[in-house]
Amino acid sequence: MSEALMTIDSLELQLGSKRLCRNLNLRIDQGQTWGLLGRNGAGKTTLLHSILGLHHPKAGNIAIAGQSLESINRRQLAMQVGMLFQENPDSLPATVLETVMLGRHPHSQSILTDSEQDLGIARKALEAFDLAGLSGRQVQSLSGGERQRLALAMLIAQQPRLYLLDEPSNHLDIAFQTRMLGILRRIAREDSASLFMATHDINLAARFCDHIVLMLPDGEHRSGPAEEILQEEILSAAYDCRIRQLKKDDLALFYPEEAS
Amino acid sequence: MIQRHHILLLGLLAVLTVGSLFFSLLTGSVELSLRDVFLALAGDDNSLNTQVLREIRIPRTLAGFATGGLLAMSGVIMQVLLRNPLADPYILGISGGAAVGALSAILLGLGGLWLNNAAFFGALLSIVLVFGIANRFGQWSVTRLLLTGVVISAGWGAVINVLLTTSSSNTVQSMLFWLMGDLSQSQVGIGHFLLLFAGLAIALLFSRSLNVLVRGELVAAGLGVNIERLRILLYFAASLFTASAVTVAGSVGFVGLIIPHMLRLLGARDHRILFPGAVLLGGSFLMIADSLARSVVAPQQLPVGVVTAIIGVPSFLIILRSTISK
């Protein structure tokens, strides 16, 4: 059995006065792809932020590669865990290549010079997401989809062991959604890294994830292999909406039954 | 990312700095030549020209350089810290506090060192006040800091107006000069240059983190930046630079706002280039502005803050226009 990349023990999350989850237990191993599902406001983003140390859990413990989160400093953590955030705020001007290079921040040794190695990794990351031709462009001039791909490229330049993705399909058209996530999963697997992605898109999760955590409205959760969790009854209860499943070839397609 | 043209830019700015330095030394009511400058620097000359240089021109030129450099660095930091392109070194009320200190000293008929100390004390008071209030509930958000600073700044503004309206007309004149920024009374010490260079060194150490912070606090935290620590460091560094600058020259406007943007528009977005660039361009800009302030309407002198705006506005607009049309 391989070493656990991340373990979560009896985690309780609270945002303001609202309890999001309690007694959450989770173990993510190397090379796995986990989906994080749940209704709006169920606490998906907060859970991802907690793994990155950006939100302090009310109780419980999170460990990365056997080391408790509190004992890892930010930079070490950033070498292990990288996150794609939902929002990529506009800011002062920057070019595409400059932005991807920021992904190398936790690894860079020298203060004043950029290493050839880092530049090479950044360029490869751009190529992986079809952005090599745009490397000199201003970020502000990119389309929403190009920006999302840029954020993904910056994330793989970071080379984390665990990729946290908050709505990775945002701003991507249907063709790019599957292509970009496919690329990301391939790169992660080559490094035996793992993915943990929060998404609203059950079908995307069904297609890409081998495991699922489903956050329920009452603060409970269910987790396990995707085929065990992605079932009509379970999803219907979680989303408080009748959800049906269509099967075609190897694909499962979930859709909500029309509201009467 | 540092590229070859960035190094070239810094080289050009260094040339500009040396040029501005001599321009400033040679400009003024007494005609001086380059020969006088070298004689004065060589040391064993005691002519009138050497005295003018040693006692007036050199201190004033150095004060211009140090003040401009400090303000421009402070502006760079404030704009990143507050994530607001309109931020300048004075936005959080530091100059307001310094102004109340300085104006009170002027009102009491105090000058020289007393005036400087009063200004510096006022600036420190404002720094601590804003930080204390913004920090009060442990939730140190940028919005809270910005709002606290702006409100405190408005409060100082009211006190300044009270001081101005209740003072006699000849003290008001010197108050206005202080408020607009003026280098004619400036005394710059070794301390200011230590702060300038030590500040630049520290800023360079944190440049990479600032490059990341520009992309947002969440992204920066995700990339391993200790945001809480960095924010506090940036706040106090920028505040100290500003406090030191206003103590020397009063609240010279515009430098801290436009120099960082000019450099960014010229392609210096990486803070490892932006900080040294800010020191050189900010310093040159203020030395040139002050040379003009004491020569265009000679023998009258203008407050340098007026000149920074007069030459800053068009040059900024020209750069803005030429980079947008690209």
Side-chain angles (χ1 to χ4, degrees):
Chain A
M1 197 162 149
S2 59
E3 186 200 0
L5 194 54
M6 180 189 73
T7 50
I8 295 182
D9 264 330
S10 20
L11 191 75
E12 183 172 340
L13 294 177
Q14 192 163 342
L15 199 60
S17 59
K18 189 188 171 199
R19 185 163 72 186
L20 299 170
C21 72
R22 62 190 149 90
N23 202 26
L24 183 97
N25 296 295
L26 195 64
R27 175 197 161 108
I28 294 183
D29 287 328
Q30 288 184 7
Q32 290 180 333
T33 301
W34 280 76
L36 176 57
L37 297 175
R39 296 191 63 180
N40 286 330
K44 301 189 291 293
T45 299
T46 311
L47 177 57
L48 295 184
H49 282 190
S50 305
I51 298 170
L52 211 54
L54 301 178
H55 176 87
H56 295 286
K58 189 148 184 275
N61 190 35
I62 299 173
I64 305 292
Q67 236 187 323
S68 167
L69 210 56
E70 286 102 58
S71 64
I72 313 176
N73 77 30
R74 271 220 187 288
R75 188 168 159 187
Q76 288 169 331
L77 186 65
M79 291 164 88
Q80 303 266 351
V81 184
M83 178 153 174
L84 178 80
F85 292 93
Q86 239 185 92
E87 324 253 322
N88 287 299
D90 257 338
S91 50
L92 299 164
T95 65
V96 168
L97 184 59
E98 284 168 349
T99 307
V100 174
M101 272 297 278
L102 297 179
R104 299 302 301 158
H105 181 74
H107 301 274
S108 50
Q109 301 292 324
S110 156
I111 290 168
L112 290 182
T113 57
D114 303 310
S115 78
E116 281 304 316
Q117 194 199 351
D118 286 347
L119 270 169
I121 292 169
R123 290 214 175 89
K124 255 181 82 181
L126 286 178
E127 276 165 29
F129 288 101
D130 288 343
L131 292 166
L134 301 179
S135 60
R137 277 269 294 277
Q138 288 291 319
V139 176
Q140 270 103 332
S141 72
L142 301 181
S143 73
E146 286 166 338
R147 279 187 211 197
Q148 186 71 353
R149 279 150 57 200
L150 176 59
L152 286 168
M154 186 167 138
L155 182 63
I156 62 168
Q158 193 181 345
Q159 297 182 326
R161 315 278 307 121
L162 174 63
Y163 288 79
L164 305 176
L165 311 169
D166 200 354
E167 301 294 348
S169 56
N170 268 1
H171 305 292
L172 294 177
D173 64 38
I174 194 158
F176 264 127
Q177 285 182 12
T178 40
R179 258 182 70 199
M180 294 305 133
L181 280 178
I183 292 167
L184 190 64
R185 189 173 59 170
R186 177 177 57 74
I187 290 169
R189 283 193 175 155
E190 279 167 10
D191 278 353
S192 46
S194 313
L195 300 183
F196 189 21
M197 60 183 217
T199 179
H200 287 297
D201 189 340
I202 303 174
N203 295 313
L204 203 68
R207 187 163 184 153
F208 282 99
C209 301
D210 40 54
H211 291 76
I212 300 286
V213 184
L214 179 64
M215 299 182 87
L216 303 173
D218 58 358
E220 301 293 329
H221 71 283
R222 302 193 61 155
S223 65
E227 60 276 10
E228 276 177 30
I229 307 294
L230 296 178
Q231 300 205 10
E232 288 181 351
E233 308 305 316
I234 299 175
L235 291 172
S236 299
Y239 285 92
D240 192 20
C241 159
R242 182 87 198 120
I243 290 173
R244 304 291 297 268
Q245 181 178 19
L246 266 181
K247 276 198 168 157
K248 189 166 193 298
D249 305 330
D250 270 347
L251 281 178
L253 183 68
F254 295 89
Y255 65 97
E257 226 174 39
E258 206 169 334
S260 53
Chain B
M1 269 175 62
I2 298 181
Q3 285 160 312
R4 194 165 298 140
H5 67 263
H6 292 137
I7 307 296
L8 185 70
L9 178 68
L10 283 189
L12 288 175
L13 290 175
V15 173
L16 174 72
T17 306
V18 174
S20 320
L21 190 84
F22 280 102
F23 179 62
S24 173
L25 291 177
L26 299 178
T27 308
S29 49
V30 180
E31 285 282 333
L32 294 177
S33 67
L34 271 179
R35 193 171 161 273
D36 296 314
V37 174
F38 289 118
L39 277 178
L41 294 175
D44 32 280
D45 186 70
N46 269 320
S47 66
L48 180 68
N49 286 355
T50 297
Q51 278 178 22
V52 168
L53 270 164
R54 282 205 194 133
E55 277 154 40
I56 302 169
R57 298 271 175 89
I58 292 176
R60 190 161 170 172
T61 299
L62 291 179
F65 180 75
T67 309
L70 286 168
L71 286 176
M73 275 210 292
S74 173
V76 170
I77 295 177
M78 288 291 188
Q79 284 162 8
V80 176
L81 175 68
L82 300 172
R83 307 187 49 66
N84 189 330
L86 291 177
D88 76 350
Y90 307 143
I91 194 163
L92 296 181
I94 297 164
S95 63
V100 169
L103 265 51
S104 309
I106 295 171
L107 188 70
L108 297 171
L110 301 169
L113 206 56
W114 279 101
L115 195 152
N116 287 351
N117 288 342
F120 195 67
F121 178 76
L124 287 185
L125 182 69
S126 193
I127 293 168
V128 173
L129 200 62
V130 170
F131 184 78
I133 296 173
N135 205 23
R136 180 78 198 271
F137 304 102
Q139 292 276 339
W140 209 71
S141 78
V142 164
T143 320
R144 179 188 290 276
L145 180 68
L146 184 60
L147 288 176
T148 312
V150 167
V151 167
I152 297 279
S153 186
W156 291 128
V159 179
I160 291 167
N161 284 339
V162 169
L163 290 171
L164 283 174
T165 44
T166 53
S167 302
S168 64
S169 56
N170 46 351
T171 46
V172 166
Q173 167 92 6
S174 23
M175 286 178 174
L176 286 178
F177 262 71
W178 194 97
L179 286 175
M180 284 183 261
D182 177 33
L183 285 162
S184 60
Q185 310 292 324
S186 291
Q187 291 164 331
V188 67
I190 191 88
H192 293 103
F193 277 90
L194 274 181
L195 182 67
L196 182 68
F197 292 118
L200 178 61
I202 291 171
L204 283 174
L205 278 181
F206 286 90
S207 286
R208 269 187 189 278
S209 300
L210 265 92
N211 290 343
V212 183
L213 186 59
V214 168
R215 312 304 308 171
E217 295 198 347
L218 278 180
V219 172
L223 286 170
V225 175
N226 186 335
I227 296 292
E228 295 80 8
R229 204 184 61 187
L230 182 63
R231 275 195 307 214
I232 291 178
L233 179 97
L234 291 179
Y235 173 76
F236 281 104
S239 301
L240 204 59
F241 296 162
T242 309
S244 169
V246 294
T247 305
V248 174
S251 41
V252 182
F254 234 66
V255 183
L257 178 66
I258 63 157
I259 297 294
H261 286 303
M262 275 188 180
L263 286 163
R264 288 192 193 102
L265 289 171
L266 292 169
R269 292 175 296 262
D270 190 306
H271 288 82
R272 291 170 289 178
I273 300 297
L274 195 47
F275 278 121
V279 170
L280 294 174
L281 187 58
S284 307
F285 182 68
L286 205 56
M287 287 191 291
I288 295 172
D290 186 51
S291 309
L292 299 176
R294 58 190 134 95
S295 56
V296 278
V297 289
Q300 278 275 8
Q301 296 214 358
L302 285 171
V304 68
V306 173
V307 183
T308 55
I310 291 174
I311 59 176
V313 171
S315 45
F316 183 72
L317 290 178
I318 288 167
I319 291 180
L320 188 63
R321 199 186 132 88
S322 64
T323 48
I324 280 174
S325 59
K326 246 185 223 166

